[in-house]
Amino acid sequence: MNEEKSRAQQLVGEVAPKLAELTDDVLFGDVWARPELSRRDRSLVTVAALTALGRTDQLRSHLNLALDNGVTEQELAEVATHLAFYAGWPAGMTAATTLKEVLGAR
């Protein structure tokens, strides 16, 4: 049986198989599945954190996931604008330009 690899397995499975396993089983299999926050809300929190921390590679993936989880383009643009004042102008601008790239590729 040819099982499709998870995104984590595709990205780091060959070099860090345990990290890919923990990402799949703990982060997405447990933390993201907890009922206290919806997947949509978790996406907003994650996008905000990644924006504030300047983690652009992961932000790109999570912007796509946020859109898949029901966050609108306008809401994501508003997150970038709002965070420009709390995380710094460069962080907000980077989030906005990354969002533009993500939307263009969808």
Side-chain angles (χ1 to χ4, degrees), residues 13-51:
E14 290 182 23
V15 297
K18 187 63 177 181
L19 180 58
E21 177 187 333
L22 290 168
T23 300
D24 292 339
D25 297 345
V26 178
L27 179 59
F28 287 103
D30 180 22
V31 175
W32 273 78
R34 293 173 52 82
E36 290 80 7
L37 288 175
S38 68
R39 288 183 61 83
R40 181 187 185 286
D41 291 346
R42 289 183 191 280
S43 281
L44 282 170
V45 171
T46 303
V47 166
L50 293 172
T51 296

Side-chain angles (χ1 to χ4, degrees), residues 3-13 20-21 23-24:
E3 188 176 319
E4 187 176 326
K5 290 185 177 182
S6 70
R7 184 72 174 133
Q9 292 167 351
Q10 292 171 18
L11 289 171
V12 299
E21 177 187 333
T23 300
D24 292 339

Side-chain angles (χ1 to χ4, degrees), residues 31-84:
V31 175
W32 273 78
R34 293 173 52 82
E36 290 80 7
L37 288 175
S38 68
R39 288 183 61 83
R40 181 187 185 286
D41 291 346
R42 289 183 191 280
S43 281
L44 282 170
V45 171
T46 303
V47 166
L50 293 172
T51 296
L53 293 169
R55 304 297 198 265
T56 310
D57 287 341
Q58 291 77 21
L59 177 60
R60 191 170 286 107
S61 294
H62 279 281
L63 287 168
N64 274 301
L65 183 58
L67 292 163
D68 292 345
N69 285 337
V71 181
T72 68
E73 295 175 18
Q74 295 80 13
E75 289 170 323
L76 292 171
E78 192 61 25
V79 168
T81 302
H82 191 75
L83 285 171

